[in-house]
Amino acid sequence: MSTTAVERKNIVTFKGTPVTITGNEIKVGDQAPDTTLVSNGLEAVNLSSFKGKTCIIVAVPSLDTPVCDLEAKRFNTEAAKLGNNTVVLLVSRDLPFAQARWCGANKAENIQSLSDYNSREFGNAWGVNWKEANLLTRAVFIVDTEGVIRYIQIVPEITTEPNYEDVLENLKKSHRKIMYRDPLIKSEEKTDVDFHTYDVKSSLANIRKRPRRLRQSEGIRKLVRESSLSVEDLVMPLFVCDGKNLRVAIPSLPGIYRLSMDLIVKECEELYQSGIPGVVLFGLIPEALKDKTARESYNSQGLYQKTIRLIKQNIPDLVLITDVAMDPYSSDGHDGIVDNVGRIVNDETLEILAKMTLTQAEAGADIVAPSDMMDGRVGYIRDALDEQGFTNVGILAYSAKYASSFYGPFRDALGSTPKKGDKKTYQMDPANAREAVREIELDIEEGADMVMVKPGLSYLDVLKTICEMSKVPVAVYNVSGEYAMVKAAAQNGWLNEKEAVLEILVSFKRAGANFILTYHAKDAAEWLRH
């Protein structure tokens, strides 16, 4: 906490003159603290002795009698019940201030420089009307842990009868009011002093439950961290293109490139060495090889299948996830066959998906990932794989894939934007969450080994729901549009890229994701290492 004095002006007026509280000093108008009764009253106390305490001033008849000594002991007992961080000052109308009594469980041991002013005058300064009342609780102030006054309040008259029980009850009520006061609420209480009460960032010393204790150092924060992010949680998407020694920038995906086969193998080696356990591969297919039934997708000697073989030959332990969908290969740009009236036909598409899956499995894919969102495709693909002996090839189903506006940069990278219409008849409505649960349940029933939610950021609620109900691992795709937004903001200096990326990625883990497909993977791996 800073020790800089905090100034609160005009929260008190004394006889029409504004009172200013600055740190542990009180001024009336322009007068120095040692020239006013009010400031003498508080300046007389070494506030460093009361750091983090609530101090309550109580005016009583006389302390210079055996009876009042007994009553003072009662005050001491009752004040202790208010908490170990409360002290009570008893002042009398007929004793010097130096003989005032501090009571409470934690007595102040260091009261210094007590003034020679009569405590009656001190009471007068706080508006005590001695003729009308003998027992009055007149003022409360709170001293923070740096010894700075943060809160001050004048308490109204209690009773016109010298009844200690009433005084103590009012003391308790005043204490509760201070401890639980709403911030910046103006007091309507009327006293001899024109006073407006404000709660000023007070450090309330009797707060027992303080969540900030578990945030005070990086070591403690690590010990109690509920979610963690590591490089092993990341999967990097890659784009392969035809040619040799080609590294083609994707304008809408800054820092991401289309790579020829030779360079994509080098990229995979670097990713694996950085600790990233897997990649998901996408292929850029020349327009000349696209047709309505995506025949190139199941060409065993095609670019995509050759790249799978080359990666597995060179980095066999890298987990290779392959994309099962028609759109990169289709002249229509859709994930299914388009009939003569423009409808996406479901069942006829399944056969094509099975064919491309088998060529990918034969080439060495560890996991196939159908992203098409056709009904029944997981079961159809599982049966095809098992019938051909690929029982160890896993299926990561894009189960809850939404018709999102965040896919734009990805479609730029692959040239897979639909020529006509959109994908809303097979990808999910962004407004639906229960539907995602149904899709997940169906895919698991059909044999999915893992399921996915895509996109991520706008669907954290869906992701959390799926993670709580799924009996198989759950992935999330931090998609191209989400990546591009962060990159654009970082390039303009609007946010810290590293901090924003790691915050986004840990949010997926907090929601329950087992692993994350993200274009940030390579950078994040570097940041996490250091």
Side-chain angles (χ1 to χ4, degrees):
M1 180 183 294
S2 173
T3 57
T4 303
V6 175
E7 181 170 309
R8 293 293 189 202
K9 294 184 177 180
N10 301 334
I11 64 169
V12 182
T13 60
F14 173 61
K15 296 181 179 179
T17 305
V19 175
T20 302
I21 301 175
T22 306
N24 60 359
E25 295 183 346
I26 297 180
K27 287 186 179 182
V28 177
D30 296 327
Q31 298 298 310
D34 60 357
T35 64
T36 69
L37 292 174
V38 174
S39 55
N40 271 326
L42 292 182
E43 188 70 17
V45 179
N46 180 356
L47 291 179
S48 65
S49 302
F50 305 105
K51 290 180 180 179
K53 292 179 172 57
T54 299
C55 306
I56 301 176
I57 299 170
V58 179
V60 296
S62 172
L63 296 175
D64 196 24
T65 67
V67 173
C68 285
D69 281 341
L70 291 175
E71 298 296 349
K73 291 179 181 178
R74 290 180 59 194
F75 263 106
N76 187 64
T77 301
E78 294 298 324
K81 296 177 182 179
L82 295 176
N84 291 338
N85 292 297
T86 301
V87 290
V88 179
L89 171 62
L90 304 182
V91 296
S92 169
R93 57 179 159 176
D94 59 2
L95 281 180
F97 195 82
Q99 296 180 34
R101 305 278 186 90
W102 284 95
C103 301
N106 286 338
K107 293 183 179 180
E109 301 295 340
N110 229 0
I111 300 177
Q112 298 175 356
S113 305
L114 290 173
S115 75
D116 292 329
Y117 283 101
N118 190 294
S119 59
R120 178 190 181 96
E121 295 175 319
F122 177 83
N124 292 341
W126 287 108
V128 174
N129 187 337
W130 298 102
K131 293 180 180 179
E132 296 180 4
N134 288 323
L135 296 173
L136 302 172
T137 302
R138 297 312 305 173
V140 182
F141 59 95
I142 293 176
V143 184
D144 71 10
T145 54
E146 298 296 330
V148 177
I149 294 174
R150 295 294 184 187
Y151 178 97
I152 187 165
Q153 180 185 15
I154 302 297
V155 180
E157 299 171 1
I158 303 168
T159 178
T160 58
E161 299 295 331
N163 187 319
Y164 279 95
E165 282 71 20
D166 289 346
V167 174
L168 291 171
E169 182 61 28
N170 188 77
L171 189 70
K172 295 172 185 177
K173 289 179 180 178
S174 299
H175 181 76
R176 286 195 295 269
K177 180 166 59 176
I178 293 164
M179 304 325 286
Y180 304 109
R181 189 177 197 86
D182 292 332
L184 299 179
I185 300 297
K186 181 177 177 180
S187 173
E188 299 299 332
E189 296 165 353
K190 301 297 183 182
T191 69
D192 293 336
V193 179
D194 180 15
F195 185 86
H196 300 302
T197 299
Y198 294 91
D199 197 349
V200 187
K201 297 182 181 177
S202 52
S203 174
L204 303 180
N206 73 335
I207 297 175
R208 293 181 179 86
K209 297 179 180 179
R210 296 181 180 270
R212 289 183 58 192
R213 293 188 191 111
L214 301 184
R215 304 178 198 139
Q216 62 185 306
S217 72
E218 179 62 19
I220 293 175
R221 290 193 295 272
K222 285 180 178 179
L223 283 176
V224 301
R225 189 159 290 152
E226 298 173 28
S227 305
S228 61
L229 175 71
S230 72
V231 66
E232 289 85 4
D233 299 320
L234 307 176
V235 172
M236 181 71 181
L238 296 176
F239 300 99
V240 63
C241 63
D242 200 10
K244 188 175 182 179
N245 198 31
L246 289 180
R247 184 181 180 85
V248 182
I250 304 169
S252 56
L253 282 172
I256 304 299
Y257 301 87
R258 302 184 189 97
L259 302 172
S260 55
M261 287 173 57
D262 53 334
L263 295 188
I264 213 163
V265 170
K266 292 180 180 179
E267 183 72 6
C268 287
E269 289 173 343
E270 291 180 11
L271 292 170
Y272 185 69
Q273 290 301 316
S274 73
I276 293 173
V279 298
V280 56
L281 183 66
F282 301 98
L284 176 66
I285 307 302
E287 286 293 324
L289 296 178
K290 296 181 181 182
D291 60 29
K292 291 183 71 66
T293 57
R295 287 180 295 177
E296 183 65 17
S297 68
Y298 50 89
N299 178 3
S300 62
Q301 298 303 314
L303 170 67
Y304 195 75
Q305 286 77 1
K306 287 181 179 179
T307 305
I308 295 170
R309 292 189 186 96
L310 195 59
I311 291 172
K312 293 305 292 183
Q313 287 169 5
N314 286 273
I315 317 104
D317 293 331
L318 179 70
V319 177
L320 181 54
I321 303 170
T322 58
D323 181 47
V324 177
M326 282 182 57
D327 55 332
Y329 309 90
S330 168
S331 54
D332 294 307
H334 276 284
D335 293 80
I337 297 173
V338 182
D339 68 11
N340 294 332
V341 295
R343 292 176 302 191
I344 311 301
V345 294
N346 191 94
D347 296 3
E348 292 86 340
T349 300
L350 300 184
E351 184 178 354
I352 296 172
L353 298 177
K355 286 180 178 180
M356 74 170 76
T357 298
L358 291 174
T359 62
Q360 294 171 8
E362 184 275 330
D366 297 296
I367 299 168
V368 294
S371 61
D372 56 287
M373 289 298 289
M374 296 296 114
D375 291 340
R377 91 275 201 209
V378 172
Y380 199 96
I381 289 170
R382 182 74 270 164
D383 288 345
L385 288 169
D386 291 349
E387 287 173 4
Q388 296 300 316
F390 297 112
T391 55
N392 290 328
V393 174
I395 296 178
L396 167 60
Y398 285 64
S399 300
K401 182 177 180 180
Y402 286 85
S404 172
S405 60
F406 289 103
Y407 302 150
F410 176 88
R411 291 172 182 169
D412 291 344
L414 289 187
S416 59
T417 302
K419 300 299 188 292
K420 291 183 181 180
D422 53 40
K423 301 190 176 187
K424 294 180 180 179
T425 65
Y426 46 97
Q427 293 180 356
M428 288 177 54
D429 186 338
N432 294 351
R434 289 193 299 270
E435 184 183 7
V437 174
R438 185 184 183 206
E439 290 281 4
I440 295 288
E441 290 175 339
L442 288 171
D443 283 354
I444 293 175
E445 183 181 334
E446 292 177 21
D449 300 287
M450 296 172 280
V451 294
M452 183 195 298
V453 176
K454 178 183 179 182
L457 273 180
S458 297
Y459 299 87
L460 285 172
D461 60 324
V462 176
L463 176 61
K464 182 173 179 58
T465 298
I466 299 307
C467 290
E468 289 174 346
M469 57 79 62
S470 176
K471 294 180 173 61
V472 301
V474 180
V476 63
Y477 202 140
N478 180 207
V479 298
S480 60
E482 297 167 345
Y483 170 90
M485 288 193 303
V486 173
K487 279 290 187 179
Q491 288 172 356
N492 281 281
W494 297 335
L495 50 73
N496 181 303
E497 181 179 0
K498 173 184 175 181
E499 292 179 359
V501 168
L502 295 179
E503 182 178 342
I504 289 169
L505 296 180
V506 83
S507 75
F508 298 135
K509 294 293 292 181
R510 187 180 66 243
N514 295 96
F515 61 98
I516 307 161
L517 287 71
T518 177
Y519 301 93
H520 296 293
K522 190 173 184 179
D523 289 336
E526 181 68 19
W527 296 329
L528 290 169
R529 246 196 334 269
H530 298 288

